[in-house]
Amino acid sequence: MDDGVVQRVFEEGGRDYFQQQPSTSSSSPSILQSLPVHASFDHGYYLLVKSIQELREKKGGIVTVGIGGPSGSGKTSLAEKLASVIGCTLISMENYRVGVDEGNDLDSIDFDALVQNLQDLTEGKDTLIPMFDYQQKNRIGSKVIKGASSGVVIVDGTYALDARLRSLLDIRVAVVGGVHFSLISKVQYDIGDSCSLDSLIDSIFPLFRKHIEPDLHHAQIRINNRFVSSFREAIYKLKCRSEAPGACSISAFQGNEAQTDNFIEMYLRPPSATEEARINDWIKMRQSGIRYYLSIGDQRIVDKNFIIRPKAEFEVGRMTLGGLLDLGYSVVASYKRASTYVVYGNLSVSFETIDTLDETFMVLRGTNRKTVGAEALRMGINGPWITKSYLEMVLEKKGVPRLNTPPLFPNTPTTSNQESVIAAPRPIRTNPNLVMKLEDLSQPWTRSPTKSKMEPVLATWHFISSDPSHAGSSVIGSSSFRDTVKLVPMPDSYDFDRGLLLSVQAIQALLENKGLPVIVGIGGPSGSGKTSLAHKMANIVGCEVVSLESYFKSEQVKDFKYDDFSSLDLSLLSKNISDIRNGRRTKVPIFDLETGARSGFKELEVSEDCGVIIFEGVYALHPEIRKSLDLWIAVVGGVHSHLISRVQRDKSRMGCFMSQNDIMMTVFPMFQQHIEPHLVHAHLKIRNDFDPVLSPESSLFVLKSNKQVAYQDILKILDPAKFCSSAQNFIDMYLRLPGIPTNGQLTESDCIRVRICEGRFALLIREPLREGNFIIQPKVDFDISISTVAGLLNLGYQAVAYIEASAFIYQDGKILIEVDHLQDAPSPYLQIKGVDKEAVAAAGSTLKLDGSYTTKVMSLAL
């Protein structure tokens, strides 16, 4: 799996970890040298894990890794995700501060102490690393790191690739992008061409070009982090006025200890902006003690009583604030927020006092909309709820006129130029290349994309009328216009995060300008991420999702014709949509894929509380279906692109080149013929750049053992209130191209696994990661059609391993235990699965499985 790339991640300039006598054997070079590797965040993470594992096998002693990059680039996030997978020691350079005036100041880092700590660890000695407290603004002590237990040491910090450290680092990683790129692009957009890129960088990141950027070019793995903020893992808030915390019901705190926090929030207006409050164009800075956090714009969605925000704040240096002020930004609003809060599980309750308003508010936060709403009911709080931000309330008190508050929906029809865009829809494809060559990158790779490539700060939706008599009318609120109103398609495609935001804004625009109900269709190829998008949208707006798979005809499914449009019960689907459109209660089918038959119906009704319904499926944008829908969304990418890339790689290893188009025609024949032509007409086209195959966000930790465990013991470690069980039968096929060079033995990296389960075909493209006793694999396999399997066979892939099994599954929402009975195997395999590594390990210890774990796949275990 990417062996060639992994072998190339080591270049001259770091530690010479093979200082033994020179060898004449080409298979044992003294130093693994290569050109730098450029990758996305997800793929860079995966390559880094594989590189550490390979290097750990090739050398004795500790493997040291340095992860450097500018503030807000995502280096700390990468280091923490890596530490959650690989047993390692994580050293933050922030603990080596000797001053607090500027967190990014090179002189504020005690390099001598850090170098000594690294030298001690590489020599197998115990060492004392300092601990720094930001509230007290000084060191508060130290902690012991055991040299013998530190197999991998990760140094995370802005200056982690400094020359004083590079000689002690085996692997050097640079992370650029994140808020660093976004802020530069935002400022370029705001100030125009009045300032060169170098001058701009020197203003808002004054230490970057001189002290940080030169060191990044010594990195072996160079990661471009495109992630900035996302509603995928949104925060849901309910807010109301309250008395002081001491006067509130103590039951709100659930017996947990309350904590306090005080900070200043300030909003910076661009130099060219008018006096009116266009708050989506502003930059938010939050100061907490000596630390500064930045977010771009007032990014939020208001739906009914909920305020929904992304995780959008990133730490920056104090000099960034000064630089923005020097460029002409002005502090248009600021206030102090004093907060008393308590956290329990995924929920928190806080009492926040805003000095400018001289009021206290109670805020209930959580990551799940329904859970937040249920907790408010449990606490007996019924509002009245406030959906305005503190900024809006402060501006209202000051009497500052507002041009808009999120979301933005201009009440103007489209222009003729926008109409012409609709007539020429463009197909959407994603780039299957996961690793970039140096010559393919814009130079320098450490800088922001140019302003011409920057997406608009906020795209806006427009409307047209399907009735020619309304052409040019601006009276969008008239009842006759509402009956004929239609969205104007966005001319460009967007990444998943921006697409999710635009999807929700489109729904809100339709509710406001067209009324109930709003019926949404999300289409795209198998494995593109449309189901994930649908459920994330539903969680935000609080609506139902209906899969078109519910409308399968039994006779078609028995012939595995999932990707055939004729497999859908179109008459029932049309009736359901018609009932929803006319406000009638309707019965939606429930289809059981295991039996291949309809198992019942569930009632569905659109009401004032939930005026939205989402239909998702491969053919959701087929002309016969989309004509009845209000919003058409197309999604491409995900595993779809991964399989194309994998086939290209396998073919090239055989000395045969296949174009992306040829692979598409063979592996996804239905896509180009019957699906893609419909997607180009979508109101919104989304490129799913999220990597479900490699991303640490989609990792599942697995412990596997063939030790016998009693059913009663399994029940003891699962929550009885949430316990559920099921059984399933499956067949695993491992497909491989004959002729691919091997070392004389079959490995997982040479194979593509196809699982047939309950009448479905699912794909596992990459081999799992293995770390200690753990197998780390994607959370789910990805559905494909039988035509894709046939396409792989037509390309020459052969089944080199085949296994039948039955599984009994027990779970409680946190831990899943699977007992697999393999055909002809002497004993079953027990697997413990979960996203929390510690919880999985604890379950294994409780079941006394230590010493019995295996990391072999089932077919090879036999």
Side-chain angles (χ1 to χ4, degrees):
M1 183 65 173
D2 293 311
D3 293 334
V5 175
V6 172
Q7 291 290 340
R8 289 173 28 236
V9 299
F10 310 107
E11 68 170 330
E12 191 173 9
R15 285 177 63 195
D16 185 350
Y17 36 80
F18 291 110
Q19 296 182 354
Q20 301 92 341
Q21 59 185 12
S23 171
T24 58
S25 170
S26 60
S27 63
S28 303
S30 60
I31 297 180
L32 295 172
Q33 298 183 10
S34 72
L35 291 174
V37 171
H38 296 260
S40 66
F41 187 92
D42 292 334
H43 201 244
Y45 152 83
Y46 179 73
L47 290 176
L48 181 53
V49 172
K50 296 288 286 184
S51 302
I52 292 172
Q53 291 178 329
E54 179 178 315
L55 182 54
R56 197 168 51 189
E57 293 178 2
K58 292 181 178 295
K59 65 181 289 287
I62 288 174
V63 174
T64 54
V65 181
I67 303 178
S71 298
S73 61
K75 58 187 178 297
T76 301
S77 176
L78 176 66
E80 291 173 349
K81 293 180 189 305
L82 187 65
S84 70
V85 172
I86 296 215
C88 64
T89 299
L90 181 58
I91 297 178
S92 171
M93 292 186 69
E94 293 183 348
N95 285 316
Y96 290 83
R97 296 181 188 272
V98 292
V100 296
D101 289 338
E102 175 52 56
N104 284 338
D105 190 350
L106 195 62
D107 296 330
S108 71
I109 304 297
D110 187 350
F111 278 95
D112 292 338
L114 179 53
V115 168
Q116 185 61 54
N117 289 153
L118 285 177
Q119 287 177 339
D120 288 345
L121 291 172
T122 55
E123 294 171 5
K125 301 177 182 177
D126 297 348
T127 193
L128 283 173
I129 66 171
M131 303 297 294
F132 189 89
D133 186 281
Y134 280 92
Q135 297 297 326
Q136 300 183 28
K137 301 181 181 180
N138 56 32
R139 290 185 183 177
I140 57 173
S142 58
K143 70 175 182 179
V144 177
I145 300 296
K146 296 288 186 179
S149 62
S150 302
V152 178
V153 176
I154 301 173
V155 179
D156 156 43
T158 300
Y159 301 104
L161 304 188
D162 184 89
R164 284 166 282 189
L165 301 178
R166 287 201 296 270
S167 63
L168 296 169
L169 300 175
D170 294 319
I171 303 175
R172 300 177 301 283
V173 183
V175 185
V176 297
V179 75
H180 184 253
F181 275 14
S182 296
L183 182 58
I184 293 174
S185 296
K186 160 68 174 168
V187 175
Q188 279 186 303
Y189 182 86
D190 286 344
I191 68 176
D193 299 323
S194 61
C195 183
S196 69
L197 179 59
D198 284 349
S199 298
L200 188 152
I201 292 175
D202 289 342
S203 295
I204 57 178
F205 297 110
L207 302 173
F208 178 71
R209 286 206 307 141
K210 182 177 180 181
H211 297 298
I212 302 172
E213 186 177 38
D215 294 332
L216 302 183
H217 291 283
H218 292 274
Q220 300 139 320
I221 301 179
R222 302 173 178 183
I223 294 174
N224 186 343
N225 182 16
R226 298 183 181 275
F227 176 82
V228 179
S229 63
S230 174
F231 282 90
R232 291 185 226 189
E233 305 297 335
I235 303 297
Y236 298 84
K237 296 168 52 176
L238 287 173
K239 179 169 68 177
C240 64
R241 286 181 171 84
S242 175
E243 301 294 334
C248 296
S249 172
I250 196 65
S251 64
F253 291 124
Q254 298 260 313
N256 292 278
E257 183 179 352
Q259 305 176 59
T260 60
D261 196 5
N262 298 282
F263 44 85
I264 299 173
E265 290 184 346
M266 61 194 86
Y267 290 83
L268 281 64
R269 183 172 58 205
S272 59
T274 59
E275 291 297 320
E276 290 86 358
R278 193 181 294 274
I279 59 180
N280 291 288
D281 295 335
W282 295 356
I283 293 174
K284 176 183 175 182
M285 294 284 286
R286 181 167 66 90
Q287 179 186 356
S288 178
I290 62 173
R291 310 185 82 157
Y292 291 80
Y293 301 87
L294 179 143
S295 60
I296 298 175
D298 187 29
Q299 301 181 58
R300 64 192 178 97
I301 295 170
V302 175
D303 190 73
K304 300 183 178 65
N305 297 323
F306 287 88
I307 300 173
I308 307 160
R309 290 188 179 274
K311 296 179 179 179
E313 283 194 335
F314 297 86
E315 186 172 2
V316 295
R318 190 185 67 181
M319 289 184 179
T320 297
L321 174 59
L324 289 170
L325 296 175
D326 289 342
L327 288 171
Y329 286 80
S330 57
V331 178
V332 69
S334 66
Y335 52 84
K336 294 181 180 178
R337 186 195 300 192
S339 175
T340 301
Y341 65 95
V342 67
V343 179
Y344 46 100
N346 293 323
L347 292 169
S348 72
V349 177
S350 62
F351 295 91
E352 302 174 350
T353 301
I354 309 301
D355 67 336
T356 305
L357 300 174
D358 194 26
E359 289 187 273
T360 298
F361 302 86
M362 192 209 75
V363 182
L364 184 61
R365 292 179 175 86
T367 56
N368 183 279
R369 176 174 175 147
K370 292 182 178 179
T371 303
V372 173
E375 181 65 12
L377 291 176
R378 189 199 67 78
M379 295 171 62
I381 303 173
N382 300 313
W385 304 111
I386 301 170
T387 56
K388 292 179 181 178
S389 66
Y390 293 133
L391 173 61
E392 288 180 298
M393 299 168 73
V394 168
L395 293 177
E396 280 187 355
K397 187 172 183 179
K398 290 183 175 182
V400 178
R402 297 197 312 277
L403 291 184
N404 58 267
T405 56
L408 289 176
F409 307 123
N411 289 332
T412 55
T414 182
T415 63
S416 59
N417 288 337
Q418 288 168 323
E419 290 181 13
S420 65
V421 173
I422 308 173
R426 289 174 289 181
I428 47 176
R429 299 282 178 82
T430 56
N431 185 359
N433 297 320
L434 302 175
V435 179
M436 296 166 282
K437 298 179 180 179
L438 187 61
E439 59 269 21
D440 294 335
L441 296 171
S442 57
Q443 297 296 324
W445 61 273
T446 53
R447 303 293 181 83
S448 166
T450 61
K451 184 175 63 175
S452 62
K453 295 181 180 179
M454 192 188 77
E455 292 183 335
V457 175
L458 185 65
T460 55
W461 288 102
H462 298 273
F463 292 89
I464 56 173
S465 173
S466 57
D467 186 346
S469 65
H470 290 101
S473 171
S474 60
V475 188
I476 215 168
S478 64
S479 59
S480 58
F481 188 92
R482 292 170 70 92
D483 293 338
T484 60
V485 68
K486 297 174 66 175
L487 279 173
V488 176
M490 290 286 181
D492 298 315
S493 59
Y494 298 89
D495 62 29
F496 192 95
D497 294 313
R498 189 175 291 258
L500 175 58
L501 174 59
L502 287 171
S503 299
V504 175
Q505 289 179 330
I507 289 173
Q508 293 186 319
L510 285 163
L511 287 171
E512 178 182 340
N513 295 295
K514 190 175 185 297
L516 298 175
V518 171
I519 307 176
V520 182
I522 303 177
S526 298
S528 61
K530 57 187 177 296
T531 304
S532 175
L533 175 69
H535 286 281
K536 291 183 185 303
M537 289 171 58
N539 194 32
I540 292 174
V541 301
C543 70
E544 290 282 342
V545 175
V546 177
S547 171
L548 292 189
E549 293 179 352
S550 301
Y551 295 89
F552 280 151
K553 298 176 183 176
S554 301
E555 60 273 18
Q556 297 289 84
V557 169
K558 291 176 181 178
D559 293 331
F560 298 103
K561 294 183 178 178
Y562 298 104
D563 52 359
D564 194 326
F565 183 66
S566 63
S567 66
L568 298 177
D569 188 343
L570 196 59
S571 61
L572 179 56
L573 175 60
S574 299
K575 180 185 183 303
N576 288 155
I577 293 176
S578 176
D579 288 344
I580 293 169
R581 178 70 65 197
N582 291 285
R584 296 190 296 265
R585 184 173 297 180
T586 193
K587 291 185 176 181
V588 174
I590 300 172
F591 193 88
D592 188 333
L593 285 164
E594 185 173 5
T595 62
R598 202 169 280 169
S599 59
F601 294 86
K602 70 173 181 178
E603 287 196 343
L604 192 64
E605 184 179 18
V606 172
S607 63
E608 290 289 338
D609 292 335
C610 182
V612 181
I613 187 75
I614 299 174
F615 288 91
E616 65 87 11
V618 170
Y619 286 105
L621 301 189
H622 188 281
E624 291 298 312
I625 299 175
R626 72 168 185 256
K627 66 182 181 181
S628 304
L629 309 178
D630 301 303
L631 174 59
W632 312 337
I633 302 173
V635 187
V636 299
V639 75
H640 192 247
S641 299
H642 254 287
L643 184 56
I644 295 172
S645 177
R646 172 58 188 269
V647 173
Q648 281 185 317
R649 190 204 76 173
D650 287 351
K651 284 290 187 180
S652 65
R653 291 175 66 187
M654 296 177 60
C656 174
F657 173 79
M658 281 193 73
S659 68
Q660 178 183 358
N661 190 65
D662 289 340
I663 297 172
M664 288 278 291
M665 289 294 292
T666 307
V667 181
F668 298 107
M670 304 299 289
F671 175 72
Q672 282 193 317
Q673 297 175 42
H674 303 293
I675 302 172
E676 188 177 41
H678 310 147
L679 302 184
V680 298
H681 297 281
H683 296 119
L684 179 62
K685 305 178 185 74
I686 296 176
R687 312 177 309 269
N688 186 8
D689 298 324
F690 175 68
D691 196 324
V693 177
L694 302 176
S695 172
E697 303 296 340
S698 63
S699 292
L700 194 68
F701 294 94
V702 181
L703 287 174
K704 181 186 293 186
S705 170
N706 59 2
K707 185 177 179 179
Q708 300 296 304
V709 176
Y711 174 71
Q712 291 76 10
D713 293 333
I714 293 176
L715 294 181
K716 291 178 183 178
I717 66 172
L718 298 175
D719 185 347
K722 300 178 181 179
F723 174 82
C724 64
S725 61
S726 60
Q728 62 183 24
N729 299 311
F730 63 86
I731 299 173
D732 280 348
M733 292 190 299
Y734 289 84
L735 305 180
R736 176 180 174 274
L737 276 178
I740 292 181
T742 64
N743 294 323
Q745 60 181 0
L746 179 65
T747 63
E748 291 175 74
S749 61
D750 297 324
C751 301
I752 296 174
R753 194 198 76 184
V754 175
R755 172 165 290 187
I756 308 172
C757 180
E758 298 179 352
R760 306 286 293 272
F761 293 86
L763 189 70
L764 179 65
I765 294 178
R766 75 159 170 86
E767 62 173 317
L769 292 170
R770 291 171 175 79
E771 180 61 28
N773 294 323
F774 283 93
I775 302 170
I776 303 115
Q777 64 186 41
K779 288 181 184 176
V780 294
D781 294 343
F782 302 95
D783 286 345
I784 56 174
S785 67
I786 192 171
S787 60
T788 297
V789 179
L792 290 171
L793 297 175
N794 289 335
L795 287 173
Y797 282 86
Q798 297 179 356
V800 293
Y802 180 91
I803 185 169
E804 294 184 39
S806 59
F808 297 92
I809 299 169
Y810 314 95
Q811 57 184 315
D812 62 1
K814 184 177 181 181
I815 293 292
L816 182 149
I817 297 179
E818 179 179 323
V819 181
D820 297 315
H821 295 265
L822 282 61
Q823 187 181 47
D824 300 328
S827 61
Y829 282 90
L830 182 142
Q831 299 187 71
I832 307 173
K833 302 180 180 180
V835 296
D836 187 332
K837 184 178 181 180
E838 293 182 358
V840 173
S845 297
T846 303
L847 293 176
K848 300 180 181 180
L849 299 180
D850 296 333
S852 66
Y853 296 121
T854 177
T855 58
K856 293 181 179 180
V857 295
M858 292 180 184
S859 58
L860 299 182
L862 291 177

